[in-house]
Amino acid sequence: MKTRIGILGLGGVGGYFGGLLAKAYAKSDSIEIVFIARGETLKVVSESGLKIISDEGEMTVFPDLVSDNPEIIGKLDYLICATKTYDIEDSLLSVKKAITKNTVILPLYNGVDAPERISTLFPDDEVLQGCVYIVSMIVAPGVIKKIGPFEKLFFGSETASISKMKALQTIFENASIESYLVDVIEETVWEKFIFISALASATSYLNQNIGELLNTESSRKLYVSLLNEITMIAAVKGLDLPNDIVFQTILKLEKTPHDATSSMHRDLMAGRKIELASLTEFVVNEGLKYEIDTPTYRKVFEKLSRQTL
């Protein structure tokens, strides 16, 4: 029996890592890679494959199957979810028939609330926690562009089957994916969330890219205020993060291509729906819940809420 892995969402994350899996297991007798796509992306990938452009060059990959029909998709052993956070429920329910009680679900979203939301839909399934560091985006349907060297994937769970997670880690490693099976995954996911939430909120609020954000004194000050507020919430939640998490996060951002920006800012500039609820409003609500004042996050949320009405 083949191990069947579904990739739900062929954006910057799902398209890139799904592409590496499809390339590695193109002629495999034991692994089958299924792309779950719809609309123009489904049409393009079915006909011409998925193109991935990086600093090293470009490649086109073909999965074993690409479909949006759960009857055609069939039962999945693993499902890697990488849609936008506002699509979590609708996208998963659309492929409900492909998900069995034995399907292991790995969410790779920007927010931290995905595992809880997915477990509400599928209470009998093992839902892992995961996050990635990558600068990648859709440049056209079926075409993904990756910028810079970042491409790390972290995942884990305190309750899921160790053997199933180790099997998935082996699948990733054999596809040349830099992946890490982490014991205390919640802290790793929150480190990434601190990075992406403050960055998405600041770049979108200021309408600036990473270089402008870091090199404009007032912008950098706002960004640091966001970092201080979100790390205070993480501390009150009891997460054991590094004492210099703010400094480390800024250092990480300084190593990111300065002409790049957050995916939320790109979506805002393109007039698309943005992940405001998961990346900004979530922090405001956690502040209220834990009685932590978040004036900068509130200011950002209020402005972006008005902009996206």
Side-chain angles (χ1 to χ4, degrees), residues 12-14 17 106-110 130-136 150-155 177-178 189 192 195-196:
V13 171
F17 290 107
L106 171 57
L108 296 176
Y109 298 101
N110 280 329
C131 65
V132 299
Y133 286 94
I134 189 169
V135 180
S136 55
F150 273 133
E151 52 173 282
K152 294 176 193 248
L153 188 159
F154 299 86
F155 73 102
I177 291 172
E178 188 181 341
V189 168
K192 160 69 192 289
F195 177 83
I196 199 66

Side-chain angles (χ1 to χ4, degrees), residues 12-307:
V13 171
Y16 183 76
F17 290 107
L20 293 185
L21 290 168
K23 181 190 176 192
Y25 297 107
K27 296 180 174 68
S28 173
D29 295 326
S30 58
I31 310 283
E32 188 176 347
I33 304 300
V34 180
F35 286 176
I36 303 166
R38 59 192 177 198
E40 190 64 18
T41 301
L42 172 59
K43 182 172 177 286
V44 170
V45 176
S46 299
E47 293 171 1
S48 319
L50 176 73
K51 184 189 279 189
I52 297 173
I53 303 163
S54 69
D55 298 344
E56 289 78 47
E58 59 181 62
M59 64 177 182
T60 300
V61 301
F62 291 86
D64 295 283
L65 175 67
V66 55
S67 178
D68 61 351
N69 185 341
E71 305 286 352
I72 294 170
I73 292 163
K75 306 301 181 193
L76 297 168
D77 297 295
Y78 295 93
L79 178 60
I80 298 170
C81 308
T83 61
K84 294 291 187 180
T85 49
Y86 49 73
D87 263 343
I88 289 175
E89 285 78 11
D90 287 349
S91 63
L92 279 161
L93 289 173
S94 74
V95 294
K96 190 176 182 179
K97 288 182 180 173
I99 300 169
T100 74
K101 289 183 180 180
N102 296 316
T103 305
V104 176
I105 301 172
L106 171 57
L108 296 176
Y109 298 101
N110 280 329
V112 289
D113 59 345
E116 191 179 337
R117 288 165 64 182
I118 296 170
S119 292
T120 301
L121 297 177
F122 301 98
D124 298 325
D125 285 81
E126 291 182 319
V127 181
L128 312 182
Q129 287 181 276
C131 65
V132 299
Y133 286 94
I134 189 169
V135 180
S136 55
M137 64 215 72
I138 301 171
V139 291
V143 183
I144 304 298
K145 184 176 184 182
K146 174 184 171 276
I147 301 167
F150 273 133
E151 52 173 282
K152 294 176 193 248
L153 188 159
F154 299 86
F155 73 102
S157 168
E158 290 180 17
T159 55
S161 156
I162 294 293
S163 62
K164 285 184 179 179
M165 289 195 291
K166 283 187 173 173
L168 184 58
Q169 170 67 339
T170 301
I171 289 165
F172 286 151
E173 285 177 347
N174 291 341
S176 300
I177 291 172
E178 188 181 341
S179 61
Y180 301 88
L181 178 51
V182 183
D183 290 335
V184 190
I185 186 63
E186 189 176 10
E187 285 157 12
T188 305
V189 168
W190 262 86
E191 273 190 47
K192 160 69 192 289
F193 183 56
I194 287 167
F195 177 83
I196 199 66
S197 168
L199 177 63
S201 300
T203 50
S204 302
Y205 176 82
L206 297 163
N207 192 26
Q208 290 179 341
N209 66 19
I210 288 167
E212 292 163 335
L213 173 66
L214 289 171
N215 297 317
T216 308
E217 191 181 344
S218 59
S219 301
R220 193 179 178 108
K221 191 175 175 185
L222 177 123
Y223 172 62
V224 172
S225 292
L226 290 168
L227 287 177
N228 285 330
E229 289 173 13
I230 193 172
T231 52
M232 184 68 74
I233 288 170
V236 171
K237 285 173 76 72
L239 294 163
D240 186 19
L241 298 177
N243 291 332
D244 61 345
I245 182 72
V246 170
F247 174 74
Q248 281 191 29
T249 306
I250 295 167
L251 210 57
K252 211 177 283 175
L253 189 62
E254 283 173 345
K255 291 176 183 173
T256 306
H258 281 206
D259 58 349
T261 192
S262 66
S263 60
M264 186 161 94
H265 184 211
R266 284 196 302 271
D267 287 340
L268 184 66
M269 287 190 293
R272 295 188 290 260
K273 191 172 179 180
I274 65 170
E275 296 181 285
L276 188 62
S278 289
L279 294 178
T280 310
E281 186 182 14
F282 177 83
V283 180
V284 173
N285 290 338
E286 288 290 281
L288 293 170
K289 181 176 165 184
Y290 291 100
E291 298 182 347
I292 301 292
D293 197 20
T294 56
T296 319
Y297 263 97
R298 281 203 317 274
K299 179 171 71 174
V300 169
F301 174 63
E302 284 162 12
K303 180 186 174 183
L304 293 174
S305 295
R306 289 195 299 273
Q307 274 184 246

